[in-house]
Amino acid sequence: EAINRYVAETNARPKPFTWTANPDEIIAAVRRGHQVLDSVH
């Protein structure tokens, strides 16, 4: 019931999502993660 109430209230007053992350930083983090995973195996 709480989830349904939250969804209904949120949908009644929607706000557009504004992306704030830097895509270059995300790509760099993914690459670092791949390097770590490759070194573990």
Side-chain angles (χ1 to χ4, degrees):
E1 184 179 324
I3 293 171
N4 288 332
R5 184 174 57 246
Y6 170 80
V7 170
E9 291 172 4
T10 301
N11 287 339
R13 295 183 280 3
K15 296 186 296 186
F17 178 79
T18 303
W19 190 266
T20 58
N22 179 329
D24 294 328
E25 291 176 6
I26 294 171
I27 292 169
V30 169
R31 287 185 177 144
R32 286 192 306 273
H34 281 265
Q35 288 175 344
V36 170
L37 289 174
D38 288 342
S39 70
V40 171
H41 294 282

